[in-house]
PDB file of all heavy atoms in Angstrom:
ATOM      1  N   PRO A 332      29.592 -29.358   6.229  1.00 79.00           N
ATOM      2  CA  PRO A 332      29.728 -27.902   6.209  1.00 79.00           C
ATOM      3  C   PRO A 332      31.192 -27.513   6.232  1.00 79.00           C
ATOM      4  O   PRO A 332      32.013 -28.195   6.866  1.00 79.00           O
ATOM      5  CB  PRO A 332      29.023 -27.463   7.493  1.00 79.00           C
ATOM      6  CG  PRO A 332      28.984 -28.668   8.358  1.00 79.00           C
ATOM      7  CD  PRO A 332      28.989 -29.856   7.458  1.00 79.00           C
ATOM      8  N   LEU A 333      31.550 -26.448   5.520  1.00 83.00           N
ATOM      9  CA  LEU A 333      32.935 -25.991   5.526  1.00 83.00           C
ATOM     10  C   LEU A 333      33.257 -25.372   6.873  1.00 83.00           C
ATOM     11  O   LEU A 333      32.358 -24.902   7.570  1.00 83.00           O
ATOM     12  CB  LEU A 333      33.132 -24.948   4.417  1.00 83.00           C
ATOM     13  CG  LEU A 333      32.978 -25.495   2.997  1.00 83.00           C
ATOM     14  CD1 LEU A 333      32.975 -24.345   2.002  1.00 83.00           C
ATOM     15  CD2 LEU A 333      34.092 -26.473   2.680  1.00 83.00           C
ATOM     16  N   PRO A 334      34.533 -25.384   7.247  1.00 86.00           N
ATOM     17  CA  PRO A 334      34.874 -24.778   8.536  1.00 86.00           C
ATOM     18  C   PRO A 334      34.564 -23.292   8.543  1.00 86.00           C
ATOM     19  O   PRO A 334      34.562 -22.629   7.503  1.00 86.00           O
ATOM     20  CB  PRO A 334      36.378 -25.039   8.668  1.00 86.00           C
ATOM     21  CG  PRO A 334      36.845 -25.407   7.320  1.00 86.00           C
ATOM     22  CD  PRO A 334      35.697 -26.015   6.620  1.00 86.00           C
ATOM     23  N   ARG A 335      34.309 -22.790   9.706  1.00 86.00           N
ATOM     24  CA  ARG A 335      33.970 -21.392   9.891  1.00 86.00           C
ATOM     25  C   ARG A 335      35.082 -20.484   9.380  1.00 86.00           C
ATOM     26  O   ARG A 335      36.251 -20.764   9.613  1.00 86.00           O
ATOM     27  CB  ARG A 335      33.807 -21.143  11.379  1.00 86.00           C
ATOM     28  CG  ARG A 335      32.601 -20.347  11.735  1.00 86.00           C
ATOM     29  CD  ARG A 335      32.373 -20.497  13.217  1.00 86.00           C
ATOM     30  NE  ARG A 335      30.992 -20.864  13.444  1.00 86.00           N
ATOM     31  CZ  ARG A 335      30.101 -20.042  13.998  1.00 86.00           C
ATOM     32  NH1 ARG A 335      30.484 -18.872  14.419  1.00 86.00           N
ATOM     33  NH2 ARG A 335      28.870 -20.413  14.164  1.00 86.00           N
ATOM     34  N   GLY A 336      34.725 -19.447   8.685  1.00 85.00           N
ATOM     35  CA  GLY A 336      35.722 -18.481   8.255  1.00 85.00           C
ATOM     36  C   GLY A 336      36.434 -18.876   6.983  1.00 85.00           C
ATOM     37  O   GLY A 336      37.356 -18.194   6.546  1.00 85.00           O
ATOM     38  N   SER A 337      36.030 -19.996   6.342  1.00 88.00           N
ATOM     39  CA  SER A 337      36.732 -20.433   5.139  1.00 88.00           C
ATOM     40  C   SER A 337      36.079 -19.898   3.868  1.00 88.00           C
ATOM     41  O   SER A 337      36.498 -20.216   2.778  1.00 88.00           O
ATOM     42  CB  SER A 337      36.788 -21.962   5.091  1.00 88.00           C
ATOM     43  OG  SER A 337      35.470 -22.470   5.055  1.00 88.00           O
ATOM     44  N   GLY A 338      35.045 -19.087   4.010  1.00 83.00           N
ATOM     45  CA  GLY A 338      34.351 -18.545   2.838  1.00 83.00           C
ATOM     46  C   GLY A 338      35.248 -17.633   2.017  1.00 83.00           C
ATOM     47  O   GLY A 338      36.019 -16.857   2.563  1.00 83.00           O
ATOM     48  N   GLN A 339      35.192 -17.764   0.701  1.00 85.00           N
ATOM     49  CA  GLN A 339      36.054 -16.968  -0.182  1.00 85.00           C
ATOM     50  C   GLN A 339      35.284 -15.850  -0.864  1.00 85.00           C
ATOM     51  O   GLN A 339      35.873 -14.913  -1.382  1.00 85.00           O
ATOM     52  CB  GLN A 339      36.659 -17.880  -1.269  1.00 85.00           C
ATOM     53  CG  GLN A 339      37.558 -18.969  -0.720  1.00 85.00           C
ATOM     54  CD  GLN A 339      38.860 -18.425  -0.152  1.00 85.00           C
ATOM     55  OE1 GLN A 339      39.473 -17.548  -0.770  1.00 85.00           O
ATOM     56  NE2 GLN A 339      39.272 -18.901   1.017  1.00 85.00           N
ATOM     57  N   ILE A 340      33.980 -15.970  -0.896  1.00 84.00           N
ATOM     58  CA  ILE A 340      33.183 -14.999  -1.644  1.00 84.00           C
ATOM     59  C   ILE A 340      32.366 -14.174  -0.661  1.00 84.00           C
ATOM     60  O   ILE A 340      31.741 -14.717   0.256  1.00 84.00           O
ATOM     61  CB  ILE A 340      32.240 -15.725  -2.625  1.00 84.00           C
ATOM     62  CG1 ILE A 340      33.057 -16.605  -3.566  1.00 84.00           C
ATOM     63  CG2 ILE A 340      31.406 -14.725  -3.411  1.00 84.00           C
ATOM     64  CD1 ILE A 340      32.246 -17.629  -4.283  1.00 84.00           C
ATOM     65  N   ASN A 341      32.407 -12.888  -0.859  1.00 81.00           N
ATOM     66  CA  ASN A 341      31.575 -12.023  -0.039  1.00 81.00           C
ATOM     67  C   ASN A 341      30.128 -12.116  -0.538  1.00 81.00           C
ATOM     68  O   ASN A 341      29.842 -11.822  -1.692  1.00 81.00           O
ATOM     69  CB  ASN A 341      32.088 -10.598  -0.130  1.00 81.00           C
ATOM     70  CG  ASN A 341      31.435  -9.727   0.924  1.00 81.00           C
ATOM     71  OD1 ASN A 341      30.469 -10.147   1.565  1.00 81.00           O
ATOM     72  ND2 ASN A 341      31.963  -8.531   1.113  1.00 81.00           N
ATOM     73  N   ILE A 342      29.234 -12.511   0.359  1.00 77.00           N
ATOM     74  CA  ILE A 342      27.863 -12.736  -0.073  1.00 77.00           C
ATOM     75  C   ILE A 342      27.212 -11.418  -0.510  1.00 77.00           C
ATOM     76  O   ILE A 342      26.258 -11.387  -1.275  1.00 77.00           O
ATOM     77  CB  ILE A 342      27.078 -13.433   1.047  1.00 77.00           C
ATOM     78  CG1 ILE A 342      25.883 -14.197   0.455  1.00 77.00           C
ATOM     79  CG2 ILE A 342      26.592 -12.476   2.107  1.00 77.00           C
ATOM     80  CD1 ILE A 342      25.668 -15.508   1.110  1.00 77.00           C
ATOM     81  N   LYS A 343      27.798 -10.327  -0.027  1.00 78.00           N
ATOM     82  CA  LYS A 343      27.287  -9.011  -0.392  1.00 78.00           C
ATOM     83  C   LYS A 343      27.467  -8.758  -1.894  1.00 78.00           C
ATOM     84  O   LYS A 343      26.638  -8.111  -2.538  1.00 78.00           O
ATOM     85  CB  LYS A 343      28.041  -7.954   0.401  1.00 78.00           C
ATOM     86  CG  LYS A 343      27.224  -6.738   0.761  1.00 78.00           C
ATOM     87  CD  LYS A 343      28.017  -5.878   1.713  1.00 78.00           C
ATOM     88  CE  LYS A 343      27.748  -4.409   1.443  1.00 78.00           C
ATOM     89  NZ  LYS A 343      28.644  -3.538   2.188  1.00 78.00           N
ATOM     90  N   ASP A 344      28.560  -9.295  -2.459  1.00 79.00           N
ATOM     91  CA  ASP A 344      28.812  -9.099  -3.891  1.00 79.00           C
ATOM     92  C   ASP A 344      27.738  -9.792  -4.730  1.00 79.00           C
ATOM     93  O   ASP A 344      27.341  -9.305  -5.789  1.00 79.00           O
ATOM     94  CB  ASP A 344      30.186  -9.650  -4.278  1.00 79.00           C
ATOM     95  CG  ASP A 344      31.294  -8.921  -3.532  1.00 79.00           C
ATOM     96  OD1 ASP A 344      31.028  -7.774  -3.101  1.00 79.00           O
ATOM     97  OD2 ASP A 344      32.384  -9.488  -3.362  1.00 79.00           O
ATOM     98  N   ILE A 345      27.318 -10.939  -4.254  1.00 78.00           N
ATOM     99  CA  ILE A 345      26.316 -11.689  -5.015  1.00 78.00           C
ATOM    100  C   ILE A 345      24.946 -11.060  -4.871  1.00 78.00           C
ATOM    101  O   ILE A 345      24.200 -10.895  -5.839  1.00 78.00           O
ATOM    102  CB  ILE A 345      26.266 -13.150  -4.515  1.00 78.00           C
ATOM    103  CG1 ILE A 345      27.622 -13.798  -4.718  1.00 78.00           C
ATOM    104  CG2 ILE A 345      25.176 -13.912  -5.218  1.00 78.00           C
ATOM    105  CD1 ILE A 345      27.719 -15.179  -4.177  1.00 78.00           C
TER     106      ILE A 345
END
Side-chain angles (χ1 to χ4, degrees):
Chain A
L333 294 171
R335 225 165 230 250
S337 61
Q339 298 290 317
I340 303 164
N341 192 349
I342 204 140
K343 213 171 144 189
D344 298 337
I345 299 176

